[in-house]
Amino acid sequence: MRIYLDSDADLGLLQGRRIAVIGYGNQGRAQALNLRDSGLDVVVGNRDDIYAKHARADGFHVSPINVATAQAQVVLLLIPDEVTPVVFEARIATQLLPQSLLVFASGYSVAFEQLTLPSQVDVGLLAPRMIGAGVRDLYVTGEGFPAFVGVAQDISGQTLPLVLALAKGIGATRRGVVPVTFAQEAELDLFTEQCFGPAFGAVLTTSINLLLNAGYPPEAVLLELYMSGEFAYTLRKIAELGLVEQAALHSRTSQYGSMSRGLRFQIPELRERLRAGLEEIRNGTFAREWAAEQAEGAPTLAMLRAQAQEMPLYQLEQELREALGSIAAASPSTQSQSSSELSRRGPWSMLRAGIARCLQRLRRPRHPRSTPPTPRDRPPSEAPTPSEAPTPSLTSPLSDGQLRRTLQTFLENASCDPMLQAFAAGRHVTTYYRFTDVDLAFSLGFHDGHVVGSLGNETEAQVQLTLASITLDSMLTGTLSPVRAALSGEIVFDGDPRLAMTVQRIQKDLVRLYSQARRQVLQGSDNA
Ligand code: NAI
């Protein structure tokens, strides 16, 4: 194990070298201030925006990115990864002094070959494992923070010592610096964001939904699971003491319960999903997908963000946070609109009202159940007599046979629908739908102007959805957003998320065609 500390780094190597910090955002500001406070010569390169104003206000000399680059022996690239390739090609690559050192804070652009490195410069990596605000705060307190370092090109033979000197300058060697390759840094970072984080998030939201449906008070559920900060505190103790040692901080009941029940959560499918996610990162699939998404203006990201904010859980969280914060901080001097309402109605009554609203949304049935239950809902002993047999409403849940006939008609009509054919032009995407409660599956594909739908076994599909028939019915009658269903776990999703999102563009047409087919089938049953 190799970890570099203060004693392994020599700040003197940077004396006489000007450092240009390119970008003055989260990392840029923190690193520039720390390096200057470590006695180094720092200038800032930034476009003319609010960040440039902040840098000037902090007393830095600020020039355009190309100018600052051309004047420095060390260039720290601290702009967002998604703009790095374009800015690098246009304003940095040709301005770098020969023998200078170019330093990235993330391995992404180099690891996934988003840019071409000039051959005459050293290229290093200094990637703090800390957000920008922490980089600054922990430098000021003297504690420091960990970081990864790496070398992609070493023309001078001095790249690693110089990067370690920078790591010391920003305060990272106080805690410890770990050497990695650019690819390792980028892949680990993406794995945490795309696999570990979402898997953990899914455990959290599944638990919240389960406990709410079991009738526990929502404010107690959120506080218990994470909003009290107890869980975050435990994670901090795990970081300090280790997984096993921190167990001693918990009661014996807790130790026995979590260790004995923990065995049940060693789920092979989870491991398989994490492995598939890692593979997609390592073989560059994700980087290509993200580059294509950005080239189109990131429509999928916008859609996902909007849907996440529509989730009842998100709204419940907001209400609870606001109410808890307001209860702690409520004072006559803070008279925002909500706080004046607070003083009128009292914080707890507002909290309860907000929670009741959110719960209603969380538990709202998709199909109004005012219509009598269908044979599928009713136990055989309660089968209706012919005289009391209900007239099926057009919003009634479908029997298995009705669902099959609806899908058949829907797929037939879809294959000759002009709107869907127009969408299919120049595309290749098939979605395969498999039901969890009915022995039925179907696929719908868009291929070069042709729409191909069929009931039956799995075809080659880029997107696979596993869901209950009521979920599909709700989605295709327009009462449930597919993205929201996927985010809340009602759909088990597999395949290419971006392709899946493109199908969202014709969601209205799918709803139109399915609803038509559904009405046709129900009216047919009615007349029969
Ligand atoms: P940021 O979003 O805070 O960057 C803002 C800066 O980028 C501003 O100075 C702005 O003028 C400049 N900028 C934005 N778009 C630009 C464009 N099109 N052309 C020219 N300049 C532009 O970036 P952040 O979060 O500080 O990330 C910088 C680097 O640090 C990235 O490589 C990131 O992966 C890495 N990093 C970030 C961490 C964080 O805490 N945010 C943690 C560890 C590494």
Short mmCIF file of all heavy atoms in Angstrom, two decimals, residues 151-205:
data_model
loop_
_atom_site.label_atom_id
_atom_site.label_comp_id
_atom_site.label_asym_id
_atom_site.label_seq_id
_atom_site.Cartn_x
_atom_site.Cartn_y
_atom_site.Cartn_z
N VAL A 151 -0.23 10.04 -13.10
CA VAL A 151 0.61 10.59 -14.17
C VAL A 151 0.20 9.95 -15.49
O VAL A 151 0.11 8.73 -15.58
CB VAL A 151 2.10 10.29 -13.90
CG1 VAL A 151 2.98 10.70 -15.07
CG2 VAL A 151 2.55 10.98 -12.61
N ALA A 152 -0.09 10.79 -16.50
CA ALA A 152 -0.43 10.24 -17.83
C ALA A 152 0.73 10.42 -18.80
O ALA A 152 0.91 9.60 -19.71
CB ALA A 152 -1.68 10.92 -18.38
N GLN A 153 1.50 11.49 -18.64
CA GLN A 153 2.68 11.74 -19.50
C GLN A 153 3.78 12.32 -18.63
O GLN A 153 3.54 13.26 -17.86
CB GLN A 153 2.32 12.78 -20.57
CG GLN A 153 1.83 12.15 -21.84
CD GLN A 153 1.51 13.17 -22.94
OE1 GLN A 153 0.80 12.82 -23.85
NE2 GLN A 153 2.03 14.38 -22.88
N ASP A 154 4.99 11.77 -18.79
CA ASP A 154 6.09 12.23 -17.93
C ASP A 154 7.30 12.56 -18.80
O ASP A 154 8.24 11.79 -18.90
CB ASP A 154 6.42 11.13 -16.92
CG ASP A 154 7.39 11.61 -15.85
OD1 ASP A 154 7.58 12.84 -15.73
OD2 ASP A 154 7.95 10.75 -15.15
N ILE A 155 7.27 13.75 -19.41
CA ILE A 155 8.36 14.16 -20.30
C ILE A 155 9.58 14.56 -19.47
O ILE A 155 10.72 14.21 -19.77
CB ILE A 155 7.92 15.37 -21.18
CG1 ILE A 155 6.59 15.09 -21.87
CG2 ILE A 155 9.02 15.76 -22.17
CD1 ILE A 155 6.59 13.94 -22.84
N SER A 156 9.34 15.27 -18.35
CA SER A 156 10.45 15.82 -17.56
C SER A 156 11.04 14.80 -16.59
O SER A 156 12.13 15.02 -16.06
CB SER A 156 9.94 17.02 -16.75
OG SER A 156 9.00 16.54 -15.78
N GLY A 157 10.31 13.75 -16.31
CA GLY A 157 10.74 12.82 -15.27
C GLY A 157 10.41 13.34 -13.88
O GLY A 157 10.77 12.73 -12.87
N GLN A 158 9.77 14.51 -13.82
CA GLN A 158 9.47 15.16 -12.53
C GLN A 158 7.97 15.25 -12.26
O GLN A 158 7.54 15.92 -11.32
CB GLN A 158 10.01 16.60 -12.57
CG GLN A 158 11.51 16.70 -12.43
CD GLN A 158 11.92 16.33 -11.01
OE1 GLN A 158 11.58 17.01 -10.06
NE2 GLN A 158 12.63 15.22 -10.87
N THR A 159 7.16 14.59 -13.09
CA THR A 159 5.71 14.83 -12.99
C THR A 159 5.15 14.44 -11.62
O THR A 159 4.43 15.23 -10.99
CB THR A 159 4.96 14.07 -14.11
OG1 THR A 159 5.58 14.40 -15.35
CG2 THR A 159 3.50 14.47 -14.17
N LEU A 160 5.49 13.23 -11.15
CA LEU A 160 4.92 12.81 -9.86
C LEU A 160 5.35 13.72 -8.72
O LEU A 160 4.51 14.20 -7.94
CB LEU A 160 5.24 11.34 -9.57
CG LEU A 160 4.61 10.82 -8.28
CD1 LEU A 160 3.08 10.92 -8.31
CD2 LEU A 160 5.02 9.37 -8.00
N PRO A 161 6.68 14.03 -8.59
CA PRO A 161 7.06 14.95 -7.50
C PRO A 161 6.36 16.30 -7.59
O PRO A 161 5.98 16.88 -6.56
CB PRO A 161 8.58 15.11 -7.68
CG PRO A 161 9.01 13.92 -8.47
CD PRO A 161 7.85 13.47 -9.29
N LEU A 162 6.18 16.80 -8.83
CA LEU A 162 5.49 18.09 -8.97
C LEU A 162 4.02 17.99 -8.57
O LEU A 162 3.48 18.88 -7.90
CB LEU A 162 5.59 18.59 -10.42
CG LEU A 162 6.94 19.21 -10.81
CD1 LEU A 162 7.04 19.39 -12.32
CD2 LEU A 162 7.15 20.56 -10.09
N VAL A 163 3.36 16.90 -8.95
CA VAL A 163 1.95 16.74 -8.57
C VAL A 163 1.83 16.58 -7.05
O VAL A 163 0.91 17.12 -6.42
CB VAL A 163 1.31 15.54 -9.32
CG1 VAL A 163 -0.09 15.26 -8.81
CG2 VAL A 163 1.26 15.82 -10.82
N LEU A 164 2.78 15.87 -6.46
CA LEU A 164 2.75 15.73 -4.99
C LEU A 164 2.96 17.07 -4.31
O LEU A 164 2.34 17.37 -3.27
CB LEU A 164 3.81 14.72 -4.54
CG LEU A 164 3.50 13.25 -4.84
CD1 LEU A 164 4.67 12.35 -4.47
CD2 LEU A 164 2.23 12.80 -4.10
N ALA A 165 3.82 17.92 -4.92
CA ALA A 165 4.02 19.25 -4.35
C ALA A 165 2.71 20.04 -4.40
O ALA A 165 2.34 20.73 -3.44
CB ALA A 165 5.12 19.99 -5.11
N LEU A 166 2.00 19.93 -5.52
CA LEU A 166 0.69 20.60 -5.62
C LEU A 166 -0.28 20.05 -4.58
O LEU A 166 -1.06 20.79 -3.96
CB LEU A 166 0.09 20.41 -7.02
CG LEU A 166 0.74 21.21 -8.15
CD1 LEU A 166 0.28 20.67 -9.51
CD2 LEU A 166 0.40 22.70 -8.02
N ALA A 167 -0.23 18.72 -4.41
CA ALA A 167 -1.12 18.08 -3.43
C ALA A 167 -0.83 18.63 -2.04
O ALA A 167 -1.75 18.87 -1.24
CB ALA A 167 -0.93 16.57 -3.46
N LYS A 168 0.45 18.87 -1.77
CA LYS A 168 0.81 19.47 -0.47
C LYS A 168 0.29 20.90 -0.40
O LYS A 168 -0.26 21.33 0.61
CB LYS A 168 2.33 19.44 -0.31
CG LYS A 168 2.81 19.88 1.05
CD LYS A 168 4.29 19.62 1.20
CE LYS A 168 4.74 19.85 2.62
NZ LYS A 168 6.13 19.39 2.83
N GLY A 169 0.42 21.61 -1.53
CA GLY A 169 -0.02 23.02 -1.58
C GLY A 169 -1.51 23.17 -1.32
O GLY A 169 -1.94 24.15 -0.72
N ILE A 170 -2.31 22.21 -1.73
CA ILE A 170 -3.76 22.36 -1.49
C ILE A 170 -4.18 21.71 -0.16
O ILE A 170 -5.33 21.81 0.24
CB ILE A 170 -4.63 21.79 -2.65
CG1 ILE A 170 -4.46 20.28 -2.83
CG2 ILE A 170 -4.36 22.53 -3.95
CD1 ILE A 170 -5.47 19.66 -3.81
N GLY A 171 -3.26 21.01 0.49
CA GLY A 171 -3.57 20.44 1.81
C GLY A 171 -3.89 18.95 1.80
O GLY A 171 -4.30 18.41 2.84
N ALA A 172 -3.70 18.28 0.66
CA ALA A 172 -4.13 16.88 0.58
C ALA A 172 -3.14 15.92 1.25
O ALA A 172 -3.56 14.90 1.83
CB ALA A 172 -4.34 16.47 -0.87
N THR A 173 -1.84 16.22 1.20
CA THR A 173 -0.88 15.28 1.80
C THR A 173 -0.95 15.28 3.33
O THR A 173 -0.36 14.43 3.98
CB THR A 173 0.57 15.59 1.32
OG1 THR A 173 0.76 16.99 1.38
CG2 THR A 173 0.82 15.07 -0.08
N ARG A 174 -1.68 16.23 3.89
CA ARG A 174 -1.87 16.19 5.36
C ARG A 174 -2.67 14.95 5.75
O ARG A 174 -2.47 14.38 6.82
CB ARG A 174 -2.64 17.43 5.83
CG ARG A 174 -1.86 18.70 5.72
CD ARG A 174 -2.71 19.86 6.19
NE ARG A 174 -2.17 21.11 5.69
CZ ARG A 174 -2.83 22.26 5.74
NH1 ARG A 174 -4.05 22.31 6.26
NH2 ARG A 174 -2.28 23.36 5.29
N ARG A 175 -3.63 14.58 4.91
CA ARG A 175 -4.44 13.39 5.20
C ARG A 175 -3.92 12.14 4.50
O ARG A 175 -4.01 11.04 5.01
CB ARG A 175 -5.90 13.61 4.74
CG ARG A 175 -6.78 14.30 5.74
CD ARG A 175 -6.97 13.52 7.04
NE ARG A 175 -7.64 12.24 6.86
CZ ARG A 175 -8.93 12.08 6.69
NH1 ARG A 175 -9.72 13.13 6.70
NH2 ARG A 175 -9.45 10.89 6.54
N GLY A 176 -3.40 12.31 3.27
CA GLY A 176 -2.89 11.15 2.55
C GLY A 176 -3.35 11.14 1.11
O GLY A 176 -4.52 11.41 0.82
N VAL A 177 -2.40 10.82 0.22
CA VAL A 177 -2.66 10.87 -1.21
C VAL A 177 -2.35 9.51 -1.81
O VAL A 177 -1.31 8.93 -1.54
CB VAL A 177 -1.78 11.99 -1.83
CG1 VAL A 177 -1.69 11.85 -3.32
CG2 VAL A 177 -2.32 13.36 -1.44
N VAL A 178 -3.28 9.00 -2.61
CA VAL A 178 -3.17 7.63 -3.13
C VAL A 178 -2.89 7.66 -4.63
O VAL A 178 -3.64 8.33 -5.37
CB VAL A 178 -4.48 6.85 -2.85
CG1 VAL A 178 -4.46 5.47 -3.49
CG2 VAL A 178 -4.74 6.77 -1.36
N PRO A 179 -1.85 6.97 -5.11
CA PRO A 179 -1.59 6.97 -6.55
C PRO A 179 -2.53 6.04 -7.31
O PRO A 179 -2.78 4.91 -6.88
CB PRO A 179 -0.14 6.46 -6.64
CG PRO A 179 0.07 5.67 -5.39
CD PRO A 179 -0.86 6.21 -4.35
N VAL A 180 -3.07 6.52 -8.42
CA VAL A 180 -3.95 5.72 -9.28
C VAL A 180 -3.67 6.12 -10.73
O VAL A 180 -3.00 7.12 -10.99
CB VAL A 180 -5.46 6.00 -9.02
CG1 VAL A 180 -5.92 5.51 -7.66
CG2 VAL A 180 -5.78 7.50 -9.18
N THR A 181 -4.21 5.35 -11.67
CA THR A 181 -4.14 5.78 -13.06
C THR A 181 -5.34 6.69 -13.34
O THR A 181 -6.31 6.71 -12.57
CB THR A 181 -4.23 4.58 -14.03
OG1 THR A 181 -5.52 3.98 -13.86
CG2 THR A 181 -3.14 3.55 -13.75
N PHE A 182 -5.29 7.40 -14.47
CA PHE A 182 -6.43 8.25 -14.84
C PHE A 182 -7.69 7.38 -14.99
O PHE A 182 -8.77 7.77 -14.58
CB PHE A 182 -6.14 8.97 -16.18
CG PHE A 182 -5.35 10.25 -16.02
CD1 PHE A 182 -4.09 10.24 -15.45
CD2 PHE A 182 -5.88 11.46 -16.45
CE1 PHE A 182 -3.36 11.42 -15.31
CE2 PHE A 182 -5.17 12.64 -16.32
CZ PHE A 182 -3.91 12.62 -15.75
N ALA A 183 -7.52 6.21 -15.62
CA ALA A 183 -8.69 5.34 -15.85
C ALA A 183 -9.26 4.87 -14.52
O ALA A 183 -10.49 4.86 -14.34
CB ALA A 183 -8.29 4.15 -16.71
N GLN A 184 -8.40 4.52 -13.58
CA GLN A 184 -8.90 4.04 -12.28
C GLN A 184 -9.70 5.14 -11.58
O GLN A 184 -10.78 4.90 -11.03
CB GLN A 184 -7.75 3.59 -11.39
CG GLN A 184 -7.18 2.24 -11.80
CD GLN A 184 -5.87 1.91 -11.10
OE1 GLN A 184 -5.18 2.81 -10.59
NE2 GLN A 184 -5.51 0.64 -11.09
N GLU A 185 -9.15 6.37 -11.61
CA GLU A 185 -9.88 7.47 -10.94
C GLU A 185 -11.24 7.67 -11.56
O GLU A 185 -12.27 7.77 -10.87
CB GLU A 185 -9.05 8.77 -11.04
CG GLU A 185 -9.55 9.89 -10.15
CD GLU A 185 -10.73 10.68 -10.70
OE1 GLU A 185 -10.97 10.66 -11.93
OE2 GLU A 185 -11.44 11.32 -9.92
N ALA A 186 -11.26 7.72 -12.90
CA ALA A 186 -12.53 7.99 -13.59
C ALA A 186 -13.52 6.86 -13.37
O ALA A 186 -14.71 7.10 -13.10
CB ALA A 186 -12.27 8.18 -15.09
N GLU A 187 -13.05 5.63 -13.46
CA GLU A 187 -13.97 4.49 -13.34
C GLU A 187 -14.52 4.36 -11.92
O GLU A 187 -15.71 4.08 -11.73
CB GLU A 187 -13.25 3.21 -13.78
CG GLU A 187 -13.02 3.18 -15.30
CD GLU A 187 -12.00 2.15 -15.74
OE1 GLU A 187 -11.61 1.29 -14.93
OE2 GLU A 187 -11.58 2.23 -16.89
N LEU A 188 -13.64 4.56 -10.93
CA LEU A 188 -14.13 4.48 -9.54
C LEU A 188 -15.17 5.56 -9.27
O LEU A 188 -16.20 5.32 -8.64
CB LEU A 188 -12.96 4.63 -8.56
CG LEU A 188 -12.04 3.41 -8.43
CD1 LEU A 188 -10.82 3.75 -7.58
CD2 LEU A 188 -12.79 2.24 -7.81
N ASP A 189 -14.88 6.76 -9.77
CA ASP A 189 -15.80 7.87 -9.57
C ASP A 189 -17.16 7.57 -10.20
O ASP A 189 -18.21 7.74 -9.57
CB ASP A 189 -15.17 9.10 -10.25
CG ASP A 189 -15.78 10.39 -9.76
OD1 ASP A 189 -16.08 10.47 -8.56
OD2 ASP A 189 -15.97 11.30 -10.58
N LEU A 190 -17.14 7.09 -11.43
CA LEU A 190 -18.40 6.79 -12.13
C LEU A 190 -19.12 5.62 -11.47
O LEU A 190 -20.35 5.60 -11.39
CB LEU A 190 -18.13 6.47 -13.61
CG LEU A 190 -17.60 7.64 -14.45
CD1 LEU A 190 -17.34 7.19 -15.89
CD2 LEU A 190 -18.55 8.82 -14.44
N PHE A 191 -18.35 4.63 -11.01
CA PHE A 191 -18.99 3.48 -10.35
C PHE A 191 -19.76 3.95 -9.11
O PHE A 191 -20.89 3.53 -8.87
CB PHE A 191 -17.94 2.43 -9.97
CG PHE A 191 -18.55 1.22 -9.31
CD1 PHE A 191 -19.11 0.21 -10.07
CD2 PHE A 191 -18.58 1.10 -7.92
CE1 PHE A 191 -19.71 -0.90 -9.47
CE2 PHE A 191 -19.16 0.00 -7.31
CZ PHE A 191 -19.73 -1.00 -8.09
N THR A 192 -19.14 4.84 -8.34
CA THR A 192 -19.82 5.34 -7.14
C THR A 192 -21.10 6.07 -7.54
O THR A 192 -22.15 5.90 -6.91
CB THR A 192 -18.89 6.32 -6.37
OG1 THR A 192 -17.66 5.66 -6.18
CG2 THR A 192 -19.46 6.71 -5.03
N GLU A 193 -21.00 6.89 -8.60
CA GLU A 193 -22.16 7.68 -9.01
C GLU A 193 -23.26 6.83 -9.64
O GLU A 193 -24.44 7.11 -9.48
CB GLU A 193 -21.73 8.74 -10.03
CG GLU A 193 -20.85 9.82 -9.44
CD GLU A 193 -20.13 10.64 -10.50
OE1 GLU A 193 -20.35 10.41 -11.70
OE2 GLU A 193 -19.33 11.50 -10.12
N GLN A 194 -22.86 5.82 -10.41
CA GLN A 194 -23.84 5.11 -11.25
C GLN A 194 -24.31 3.77 -10.67
O GLN A 194 -25.32 3.24 -11.09
CB GLN A 194 -23.26 4.84 -12.64
CG GLN A 194 -22.98 6.12 -13.39
CD GLN A 194 -22.30 5.85 -14.70
OE1 GLN A 194 -22.39 4.77 -15.26
NE2 GLN A 194 -21.58 6.83 -15.20
N CYS A 195 -23.50 3.21 -9.77
CA CYS A 195 -23.85 1.87 -9.26
C CYS A 195 -24.06 1.91 -7.75
O CYS A 195 -25.17 1.66 -7.26
CB CYS A 195 -22.75 0.88 -9.62
SG CYS A 195 -22.47 0.80 -11.40
N PHE A 196 -23.01 2.22 -7.01
CA PHE A 196 -23.11 2.21 -5.56
C PHE A 196 -24.20 3.17 -5.07
O PHE A 196 -25.09 2.79 -4.30
CB PHE A 196 -21.76 2.56 -4.94
CG PHE A 196 -21.79 2.67 -3.44
CD1 PHE A 196 -21.90 1.53 -2.66
CD2 PHE A 196 -21.72 3.89 -2.81
CE1 PHE A 196 -21.94 1.62 -1.28
CE2 PHE A 196 -21.77 4.00 -1.43
CZ PHE A 196 -21.87 2.86 -0.67
N GLY A 197 -24.14 4.42 -5.55
CA GLY A 197 -25.11 5.43 -5.10
C GLY A 197 -26.55 5.05 -5.43
O GLY A 197 -27.41 5.00 -4.54
N PRO A 198 -26.84 4.75 -6.70
CA PRO A 198 -28.23 4.40 -7.04
C PRO A 198 -28.71 3.12 -6.35
O PRO A 198 -29.88 3.03 -5.96
CB PRO A 198 -28.18 4.20 -8.55
CG PRO A 198 -27.02 5.01 -9.00
CD PRO A 198 -26.03 4.95 -7.89
N ALA A 199 -27.83 2.13 -6.17
CA ALA A 199 -28.25 0.90 -5.49
C ALA A 199 -28.63 1.25 -4.05
O ALA A 199 -29.67 0.81 -3.53
CB ALA A 199 -27.13 -0.13 -5.51
N PHE A 200 -27.82 2.06 -3.43
CA PHE A 200 -28.11 2.51 -2.07
C PHE A 200 -29.41 3.32 -2.04
O PHE A 200 -30.28 3.13 -1.17
CB PHE A 200 -26.93 3.34 -1.57
CG PHE A 200 -27.17 3.93 -0.23
CD1 PHE A 200 -27.10 3.13 0.89
CD2 PHE A 200 -27.50 5.26 -0.09
CE1 PHE A 200 -27.35 3.68 2.14
CE2 PHE A 200 -27.75 5.81 1.14
CZ PHE A 200 -27.67 5.01 2.27
N GLY A 201 -29.57 4.21 -3.03
CA GLY A 201 -30.79 5.03 -3.13
C GLY A 201 -32.03 4.15 -3.28
O GLY A 201 -33.08 4.44 -2.71
N ALA A 202 -31.89 3.06 -4.04
CA ALA A 202 -33.04 2.17 -4.25
C ALA A 202 -33.42 1.47 -2.94
O ALA A 202 -34.60 1.30 -2.64
CB ALA A 202 -32.73 1.15 -5.34
N VAL A 203 -32.42 1.09 -2.15
CA VAL A 203 -32.70 0.47 -0.85
C VAL A 203 -33.46 1.48 0.03
O VAL A 203 -34.44 1.15 0.70
CB VAL A 203 -31.39 0.03 -0.16
CG1 VAL A 203 -31.65 -0.38 1.28
CG2 VAL A 203 -30.76 -1.12 -0.92
N LEU A 204 -33.01 2.71 -0.03
CA LEU A 204 -33.62 3.75 0.80
C LEU A 204 -35.08 4.00 0.37
O LEU A 204 -35.99 3.97 1.21
CB LEU A 204 -32.80 5.04 0.66
CG LEU A 204 -33.15 6.18 1.59
CD1 LEU A 204 -33.01 5.75 3.04
CD2 LEU A 204 -32.26 7.38 1.32
N THR A 205 -35.32 4.22 -0.93
CA THR A 205 -36.68 4.55 -1.35
C THR A 205 -37.60 3.34 -1.20
O THR A 205 -38.77 3.48 -0.84
CB THR A 205 -36.73 5.07 -2.80
OG1 THR A 205 -36.00 4.17 -3.62
CG2 THR A 205 -36.14 6.45 -2.93
#
